[in-house]
Amino acid sequence: AAKRTAKSSVQFYSTALREASQKRMEMEASLRHAIEQGHFELYLQPILELESGQITKAEALIRWRLEDGSLVAPDDFIPLAEQTGLIVPLGKWVINRAGEMLKTIIQHKPSLKVSVNLSPRQFSDKNLVSFLKSVVDHCGIPAQNLELELTEGVLIDNFDKVQQLLNDVRKMGISVSIDDFGTGYSSLAYLQKLPIDHLKIDRSFVRDLDTNDSDRAIVLAVIAMAHSLKLGVIAEGVENRQQRQFLLDNQCDTAQGYLFSKPVPFDDFCQQLIVESSQNKH
Ligand code: C2E
Ligand code: MG
Ligand code: MG
Ligand code: MG
């Protein structure tokens, strides 16, 4: 009986695996198709300076628009894009689109920056720097208006290579943030050694700021460390006034979150900038 059970469970697993790999292949095919057809949209989420309440930056966040009009969130396709290498063409589309948006945005607000997320595979693409240069040239925008967001996972890969690449990116004038800071496993030593401009405190530390003493301690420590290394700090996932007040009281520089705005389509973001500038005049 034991033999039969073992055999049927093997069969069960192999069926489940076959179904999973079938599903993955279908998903990969539709992702490929969507890239060819351009079924993506780049949303922008405002990032505000806490002290002034002004929008100083926007994070570019990709969405996949299905034929039925619904949106797929990046967490549901970026990992597959990363595994299959499709992230490279997709990421190029994102950078290009961000450049085009900046071209319009800086006519309203010349100092505004747009940050773009890069996953590890994109970062190991040896054409990244020349691609960034071509976008900046083609769009006719200052490289200073563009920022890259990297997770700690990118940094532990190959330190010398990463350092060289970041130096090249920085030399162009593009700035660099470490995204989801505090959730990775990399050594803190890299913060000192790499040319980095900002740390983004992961939203898991911000969520329970009102009630959780250890989250508060971590956030304070990150702010203090960042400032002593001359880095800016961005808090992610700010959803209420108490969180904003705590961050403001403790010298966090900038913040992003649903309290201010969800990620929105380009036109809506421009509308927010227009409203802001009309308020500044009054
Ligand atoms: P991320 O870079 O850490 O982006 C922040 C995520 O937090 C976004 O999710 C944003 O919508 C969400 N968020 C912002 N404020 C709040 C808040 O107050 N509350 C809550 N609950 N969530 C908030 P989104 O857009 O679903 O993106 C998820 C992740 O997908 C991103 O995390 C990033 O790692 C990745 N991603 C998005 N766009 C791209 C892209 O163009 N390229 C690459 N490589 N990755 C991307
Ligand atoms: Mg990000
Ligand atoms: Mg993040
Ligand atoms: Mg994240």
Side-chain angles (χ1 to χ4, degrees):
K3 213 169 157 190
R4 263 222 342 252
T5 312
K7 193 177 168 202
S8 62
S9 66
V10 167
Q11 243 161 25
F12 171 76
Y13 282 117
S14 71
T15 305
L17 277 177
R18 198 164 345 104
E19 277 167 10
S21 87
Q22 180 73 31
K23 203 165 164 243
R24 209 188 107 112
M25 276 166 60
E26 281 168 21
M27 177 95 173
E28 183 181 340
S30 45
L31 188 57
R32 204 177 288 277
H33 177 75
I35 293 172
E36 281 158 12
Q37 301 294 313
H39 291 167
F40 294 92
E41 291 170 29
L42 200 59
Y43 277 34
L44 293 175
Q45 186 178 32
I47 299 177
L48 288 80
E49 200 170 65
L50 281 164
E51 187 125 347
S52 65
Q54 300 291 302
I55 301 171
T56 54
K57 207 185 286 184
E59 177 172 8
L61 295 157
I62 195 171
R63 269 93 183 97
W64 176 2
R65 177 79 67 183
L66 299 181
E67 316 269 344
D68 68 4
S70 61
L71 284 181
V72 186
D75 286 335
D76 294 330
F77 65 91
I78 292 289
L80 182 66
E82 177 78 11
Q83 286 158 27
T84 54
L86 289 171
I87 193 68
V88 175
L90 195 55
K92 285 185 172 165
W93 178 82
V94 168
I95 295 168
N96 237 320
R97 188 77 194 97
E100 284 167 10
M101 289 176 168
L102 267 172
K103 195 174 164 178
T104 304
I105 290 171
I106 57 182
Q107 292 168 11
H108 293 287
K109 190 162 185 174
S111 63
L112 199 119
K113 291 188 178 207
V114 169
S115 67
V116 169
N117 293 281
L118 287 193
S119 52
R121 182 87 165 238
Q122 291 173 271
F123 203 68
S124 62
D125 176 18
K126 59 181 186 318
N127 298 320
L128 179 65
V129 173
S130 60
F131 182 74
L132 288 167
K133 282 203 179 98
S134 75
V135 170
V136 163
D137 289 349
H138 174 256
C139 295
I141 52 166
Q144 283 72 13
N145 289 77
L146 205 55
E147 185 162 303
L148 303 181
E149 296 194 9
L150 312 173
T151 52
E152 290 169 80
V154 170
L155 307 177
I156 49 180
D157 230 24
N158 175 339
F159 190 86
D160 292 342
K161 215 184 85 189
V162 168
Q163 189 169 36
Q164 182 59 49
L165 203 61
L166 287 182
N167 282 336
D168 291 347
V169 163
R170 269 293 224 55
K171 230 176 280 163
M172 272 182 73
I174 295 177
S175 51
V176 176
S177 292
I178 303 302
D179 204 355
D180 304 344
F181 185 74
T183 61
Y185 296 95
S186 51
S187 137
L188 291 179
Y190 73 81
L191 291 181
Q192 234 181 355
K193 293 182 186 141
L194 292 175
I196 292 165
D197 300 281
H198 310 279
L199 299 183
K200 297 191 76 170
I201 304 178
D202 191 68
R203 73 165 190 270
S204 60
F205 302 113
V206 174
R207 192 181 47 222
D208 302 320
L209 266 187
D210 318 336
T211 53
N212 188 315
D213 286 342
S214 67
D215 285 343
R216 267 201 286 262
I218 289 170
V219 167
L220 293 180
V222 173
I223 294 170
M225 180 180 67
H227 286 163
S228 66
L229 293 169
K230 309 260 184 297
L231 305 174
V233 192
I234 302 154
E236 298 187 303
V238 177
E239 294 186 355
N240 62 50
R241 288 159 183 278
Q242 294 91 311
Q243 292 163 343
R244 188 196 60 182
Q245 196 59 47
F246 179 85
L247 293 161
L248 179 61
D249 290 344
N250 291 286
Q251 283 77 49
C252 182
D253 308 301
T254 50
Q256 115 190 57
Y258 296 170
L259 175 66
F260 311 110
S261 169
K262 290 197 166 178
V264 293
F266 179 64
D267 290 348
D268 296 3
F269 178 77
C270 291
Q271 196 54 44
Q272 290 191 31
L273 288 184
I274 291 166
V275 169
E276 178 185 79
S277 81
S278 73
Q279 282 167 348
N280 289 344
K281 282 186 198 120
H282 298 134

